[in-house]
Structure formats: C-alpha cells, structure tokens
Amino acid sequence: MYDIYIYASYGVTAVLLGGLIIVSFRQLSRARAHVAALNQAASLNQDDKKKEGA
Amino acid sequence: MLKALENISALYANPTRFMGLAAKLHMPLWALAIGLLAYGLYRVANVPADYQQGETVRIMFVHVPAAWMSLFGYSFIFFASVTALIFRHPLGHVAARAAAPVGAVFTLLALITGSLWGQPMWGTWWVWDARLTSVLVLLFIYLGYIALWQAIDEPIRAARAASILAIVGFINVPIVKFSVDWWNTLHQPASVSRLARPALHADFLYPLLIMGAAFLVLFLAITLTRMQMEVLRQRLRARAGKGGAAHV
C-alpha cells in the first residue's frame, strides 16, 4: 500500500496526458472531417459545372 | 551528413509528402509509446523502496522524465522556430505550434509531481529556489507562446511573433538546466546526466531511463498527431482565404 502522494502523482499524470491525447485525436478527426466535407463539396460543384457545360 | 540532412529536410518540406510520411509513422509510433510506457510502469512497480525516500521514490519515475520532456519540448520548439524563421522551412511553424501544448503539459506535470514529492520529503509543497522558479517561468513562456498564436488573427504575423518569442525564451532552458549548479538550491543536482558514473543504482537507473524513453516517444507521437491536425487546419484556413498554407 503506497501513500496518497504516489497515487496522486500517477493519477495527475494519467489525467493530464490522457486529456492531451484525447483532445489531440479529437481535433485531428474534426480537421479531417472538415477537409473531407470541403473536398466532397468541391467535387459536387465540379460535377454541376460539367453538367451545365454539357 | 549535412547534405543528407538537407536532402531529407527538403524532401519533407512539402506538406503533402509530410502527411504521407506521418500517416505511415503514426501507428508504429503510438504502438511503441504504449509498449514502452507499459514496460516502464511494470519495471517501476518492481523497484525496491529507497533507503531514504521509501516508496515515495516512485514519484521520481514520472517527475524526472516529465522534467526532461519540458526542456526537450522547448528545445524542439526553438529549433523548429529557427528552421522556419531563418531557413523558411514550411513545416517549422507547424512543428513548433504542435509541440507547444505537449511541452506545456509535461512542464505542468513536472511541477505538480515535484510538489507532490516535495511535501513528504522536504516538508513543503513549494520553495522559491532557482530550479523550481525557472521551471515555473518555463511554463509561463510556454503559455505565452500558445497565447500569442491565438491572439494574432493573421497567420503569417502570428507565426513570426511566436517564433521570435520562442527564440528569445530559449535563454531560460540553460538557466533551468544549470540552476542547480549556479545557485545554492534545495533541489538536488542532476543524478543521471553523468552516464559514465551516474549517482543512481542500476535498480533505479534503468526503469528511469525506460520511462524517459517512453515519455520521449509519447512526446513525439502526440506532436506528430498535432502536426497532422495543424497541416489540415492550414489547408482549411487557406481555402477560407484567411492565410496561405504555403507560408506558415
């Protein structure tokens, strides 16, 4: 049985690093979703222009 | 050697090529980080109690690697900023900005775990000695750097201002490192830097080095994840017409 300071140290480490990892992955997946949505919108626009041209 | 480094640097200066490389490195780097961390924690759990510190010595295995990463993180930001500002490497600002929150978290972790070790060992949570104060200043420099990026809307100006702050703020890194030698501090001097004759017994040294390696790979894995996010955000900003991705 360790004292409270050891549990607190490892607990704070897990919370801070875990939080940073979760936030980083969430931000990355949001950025990927935004880029994918824009790419899809751009390709739809191109298709519309091609149809108009034809 | 220098030519080879220049060639590698030029090859991955293109953000699209960098994203390809990052996609390949992403999973192996995270797997290595998790593996090293699990092995490090297993070794730490089997470390004997110290004859002076008792079980509290276990705090050292997160405190010391976190403190190493706080200095490594700032050095990383410094070199990335120099690369961006002087050599105009397009990924320099991306790398520096991505590493800043990671370095700040490791610095905060070093301060909190140091405080949690200080209370049972020194009988106090905090003393204004040179090492503790200079690490607190390092945390404020990290926060200032992150705030500067947020405060300026125009990305090119923000990148330039943040780089200058990062380069000027680097003066604090040797102060943190050598504060225990230059001033009379309550904080003990370095125990591991003399690798030929370290002041630690092997029972403590190897788990500490494994945890150090785990934190280093974790730092690189989180920074790589954040760099990918920054490149994508630049693309979004460039499309929205708020600043050129090629410049920042």
Side-chain angles (χ1 to χ4, degrees):
Chain A
M1 189 69 184
Y2 304 132
D3 62 34
I4 186 76
Y5 301 105
I6 300 170
Y7 289 119
S9 293
Y10 282 84
V12 166
T13 304
V15 168
L16 283 180
L17 288 180
L20 179 68
I21 291 166
I22 290 167
V23 167
S24 299
F25 271 101
R26 199 177 272 181
Q27 286 176 335
L28 176 62
S29 67
R30 269 190 200 156
R32 274 183 181 152
H34 265 124
V35 171
L38 280 177
N39 284 342
Q40 201 176 1
S43 71
L44 284 175
N45 274 346
Q46 273 189 340
D47 287 348
D48 285 348
K49 277 180 189 170
K50 275 182 192 169
K51 279 178 192 169
E52 279 172 16
Chain B
M1 179 71 182
L2 199 65
K3 192 75 184 164
L5 274 176
E6 270 177 20
N7 287 344
I8 292 168
S9 166
L11 185 64
Y12 292 106
N14 180 337
T16 307
R17 274 193 192 146
F18 163 77
M19 290 298 271
L21 177 74
K24 280 182 199 156
L25 280 178
H26 194 72
M27 285 319 287
L29 206 56
W30 274 105
L32 184 63
I34 292 165
L36 273 172
L37 204 56
Y39 181 57
L41 288 172
Y42 166 75
R43 291 290 301 262
V44 170
N46 291 299
V47 159
D50 182 67
Y51 80 107
Q52 280 182 319
Q53 300 178 37
E55 298 290 356
T56 312
V57 73
R58 289 176 209 283
I59 297 176
M60 287 295 110
F61 298 98
V62 283
H63 170 70
V64 176
W68 287 342
M69 284 307 107
S70 69
L71 291 180
F72 175 80
Y74 201 86
S75 305
F76 181 93
I77 292 171
F78 170 76
F79 285 112
S81 299
V82 167
T83 318
L85 210 60
I86 298 170
F87 302 107
R88 307 263 172 205
H89 196 287
L91 288 171
H93 294 307
V94 169
R97 191 177 187 183
V102 191
V105 165
F106 276 115
T107 309
L108 183 62
L109 205 54
L111 286 169
I112 294 173
T113 54
S115 194
L116 285 164
W117 181 88
Q119 174 59 25
M121 291 295 112
W122 293 341
T124 180
W125 297 101
W126 182 265
V127 282
W128 291 100
D129 87 348
R131 170 57 71 84
L132 276 71
T133 309
S134 56
V135 174
L136 184 64
V137 170
L138 182 66
L139 177 65
F140 290 148
I141 295 173
Y142 269 119
L143 296 179
Y145 179 86
I146 295 166
L148 198 55
W149 269 106
Q150 305 284 340
I152 303 172
D153 279 339
E154 212 266 295
I156 297 169
R157 276 185 55 225
R160 203 166 294 161
S163 295
I164 291 167
L165 174 65
I167 291 167
V168 173
F170 187 70
I171 190 90
N172 192 44
V173 170
I175 294 175
V176 172
K177 175 79 183 82
F178 297 110
S179 56
V180 287
D181 303 320
W182 292 343
W183 292 286
N184 192 11
T185 59
L186 183 59
H187 194 285
Q188 60 268 50
S191 313
V192 183
S193 61
R194 294 164 291 154
L195 270 180
R197 213 157 43 86
L200 284 178
H201 188 270
D203 283 353
F204 298 103
L205 181 65
Y206 292 120
L208 184 63
L209 292 178
I210 293 163
M211 285 299 280
F215 273 32
L216 175 64
V217 179
L218 194 61
F219 177 94
L220 295 175
I222 302 173
T223 303
L224 188 71
T225 304
R226 297 190 66 83
M227 279 179 76
Q228 288 173 284
M229 180 264 290
E230 288 294 342
V231 169
L232 291 176
R233 279 185 173 177
Q234 277 189 358
R235 285 182 185 170
L236 289 168
R237 272 198 299 271
R239 283 193 185 182
K242 285 184 183 173
H247 304 294
V248 181

